[in-house]
Amino acid sequence: MADIIFEVLNGIFGPLVALDPNPSNPILTVLVVAFIVSLISTVANKLLVDQDQMNEIQAEMKAFQKEIREAQKVGDGKKLVELQSRQQEMMQKQTQMMGNSFKPMIVTLVPILLIFWWMRASVISGLIVTLPPSVYYITLTPMWHFFGHFLYGGDATIPFAIGWLLWYMICTFAMSQILRKFLGFKQGF
């Protein structure tokens, strides 16, 4: 069964690797896959979550927290008791907001896991992406190498290179922000 799934996914995504001008350096392939995954998750988010309701609940939560801080600041015990009585209602709204935000994750989890499984099982998994110097610095990759040095030891051995997974994460973050803006999301995340 796993072989069949791999062959189907390879039939879909394999041509991306073949179209990449430099298949041994899959910058373009990983970028396109990141775009596809970002598109799937952003569209699911747009269709399954009432963005206006989410923004309304978030604004209400911020206002409530501000009221609590102000009451604590001035020492208004009566106001704090009143706000604590509303706290249960606010917790219910926050739970509702979290439940709504999980809907797209449930729908997109299987396709995204399958795409990751294909990337891990395909030729991409063993490849290292060598970035042009400008992209290397714009994406703050030296910072990731610095932290990686402390976490895992060793240094990056190939100049301007990163693993395909880090390149995927950078691309997905950028693509998600662009798509969210394009689809009219009011907030970045």
Side-chain angles (χ1 to χ4, degrees):
M1 181 69 168
D3 291 338
I4 294 170
I5 294 172
F6 178 79
E7 289 305 319
V8 168
L9 290 171
N10 208 35
I12 295 169
F13 295 111
L16 291 176
V17 177
L19 289 174
D20 203 324
N22 188 359
S24 63
N25 184 20
I27 292 175
L28 186 60
T29 301
V30 175
L31 178 71
V32 172
V33 170
F35 174 77
I36 291 168
V37 170
S38 296
L39 184 64
I40 290 169
S41 63
T42 306
V43 168
N45 215 325
K46 182 73 173 176
L47 296 175
L48 297 174
V49 176
D50 183 351
Q51 298 299 318
D52 293 332
Q53 180 187 30
M54 291 286 278
N55 291 334
E56 184 180 305
I57 291 173
Q58 283 180 337
E60 197 174 333
M61 292 296 292
K62 282 182 183 178
F64 180 72
Q65 290 168 352
K66 183 179 178 185
E67 277 186 82
I68 288 177
R69 280 193 303 273
E70 288 175 0
Q72 289 173 337
K73 190 177 187 181
V74 296
D76 189 351
K78 186 176 179 181
K79 182 76 171 177
L80 280 172
V81 170
E82 176 188 322
L83 290 171
Q84 285 176 343
S85 67
R86 286 184 38 212
Q87 194 164 12
Q88 183 67 25
E89 173 191 339
M90 298 309 286
M91 293 293 279
Q92 288 174 342
K93 287 186 179 193
Q94 191 169 20
T95 302
Q96 177 187 7
M97 186 173 76
M98 287 177 59
N100 285 340
S101 66
F102 279 122
K103 286 178 192 176
M105 186 180 76
I106 292 167
V107 171
T108 61
L109 185 64
V110 171
I112 291 172
L113 285 176
L114 286 173
I115 291 170
F116 263 94
W117 177 74
W118 171 80
M119 289 177 80
R120 179 76 177 110
S122 73
V123 67
I124 292 174
S125 71
L127 299 177
I128 294 176
V129 177
T130 304
L131 302 172
S134 58
V135 174
Y136 179 80
Y137 290 110
I138 288 171
T139 58
L140 304 176
T141 303
M143 177 185 72
W144 297 111
H145 282 174
F146 177 77
F147 288 126
H149 171 75
F150 287 108
L151 293 173
Y152 306 111
D155 290 319
T157 56
I158 302 171
F160 307 116
I162 59 175
W164 68 270
L165 185 58
L166 180 56
W167 177 239
Y168 167 83
M169 290 189 303
I170 291 168
C171 293
T172 302
F173 177 77
M175 292 293 169
S176 293
Q177 295 308 307
I178 292 167
L179 288 169
R180 290 176 77 81
K181 196 67 149 171
F182 181 74
L183 290 174
F185 282 73
K186 291 181 177 93
Q187 296 181 346
F189 287 103

